[in-house]
Amino acid sequence: LKRITLAAGNTAFCVSNAVLYTTGCSSIVMTIPQDTLPNPLVIPDTVTSIRDGAFSTRYDLRSVTIPDSVTVIPDNAFQNCSSLTNLVLGARTTTIRRYAFDNCGLLSVTIPASVTTLGVCAFRDIYLTRVMFLGNAPASVGSDLYSSSSATTNYVGIGSTGWSGTPGDATLPATWQEKPVVAMPSLTMVNSVA
């Protein structure tokens, strides 16, 4: 697909900032191949869903802010966005699905406390050095979450639970998902990690 042109009188879709939305801007369908995405891309809070692979292979995407209104990051949503180095997830994000950020340029990501599900290979093949969890361990985690992300360290809050694999257990293991765990006393401390 190289070009998208909307027909005159189209009422099903609209385009804004190189993104194809359903009318009313409630769902992101895909990006427009021939147009350059704005950086940073701030997804409007009218959006409640993003379709699978909507931003896949957008090498020009460097920064994206996802609003609180989007609760699920779908399969392959930002896969192969190798220039994507800045990500802000909405505070109501509950699910990051399979390969959502596979092969991105992210070095660091903050996982909101609302996240309960991380899909298979969600952060695969990236040079992720730190993952900061603002809440308890996600209840459901797919295999190979950080596959090929060798230098990743998990930063978790003291008093958060579930890291040992038992819900409600506040024991912090040395590793989680085969990556080191570092206990952080407060959110302020997490944000100051260099």
Side-chain angles (χ1 to χ4, degrees):
L1 181 66
K2 293 184 178 186
R3 177 169 292 281
I4 293 176
T5 305
L6 297 179
N10 168 61
T11 59
F13 300 99
C14 60
V15 175
S16 176
N17 291 323
V19 178
L20 179 68
Y21 298 89
T22 55
T23 299
C25 293
S26 63
S27 181
I28 294 176
V29 178
M30 64 183 298
T31 58
I32 306 299
Q34 70 270 18
D35 294 342
T36 301
L37 290 168
N39 278 292
L41 173 64
V42 178
I43 296 174
D45 60 10
T46 56
V47 173
T48 57
S49 68
I50 300 171
R51 304 262 175 105
D52 291 356
F55 293 91
S56 182
T57 317
R58 285 307 302 243
Y59 304 116
D60 59 334
L61 182 60
R62 295 186 309 274
S63 177
V64 65
T65 298
I66 300 170
D68 292 349
S69 55
V70 174
T71 59
V72 175
I73 310 302
D75 293 350
N76 314 95
F78 296 90
Q79 186 176 38
N80 297 320
C81 292
S82 56
S83 297
L84 179 60
T85 58
N86 186 46
L87 168 67
V88 178
L89 292 167
R92 291 180 48 223
T93 303
T94 61
T95 304
I96 300 173
R97 290 204 172 134
R98 300 177 314 146
Y99 302 95
F101 297 100
D102 174 39
N103 199 29
C104 286
L106 295 169
L107 295 176
S108 174
V109 66
T110 299
I111 306 294
S114 54
V115 172
T116 58
T117 303
L118 293 171
V120 171
C121 298
F123 297 102
R124 184 183 78 145
D125 288 339
I126 60 179
Y127 298 103
L128 206 61
T129 58
R130 63 184 178 202
V131 180
M132 294 169 278
F133 288 89
L134 301 183
N136 295 325
S140 175
V141 181
S143 63
D144 299 322
L145 177 66
Y146 304 132
S147 178
S148 301
S149 299
S150 61
T152 305
T153 299
N154 296 297
Y155 293 89
V156 304
I158 292 176
S160 62
T161 64
W163 301 104
S164 66
T166 304
D169 181 6
T171 303
L172 292 180
T175 63
W176 185 77
Q177 296 297 306
E178 302 177 5
K179 303 299 179 193
V181 172
V182 175
M184 302 304 292
S186 69
L187 177 59
T188 303
M189 185 69 166
V190 168
N191 287 334
S192 68
V193 173

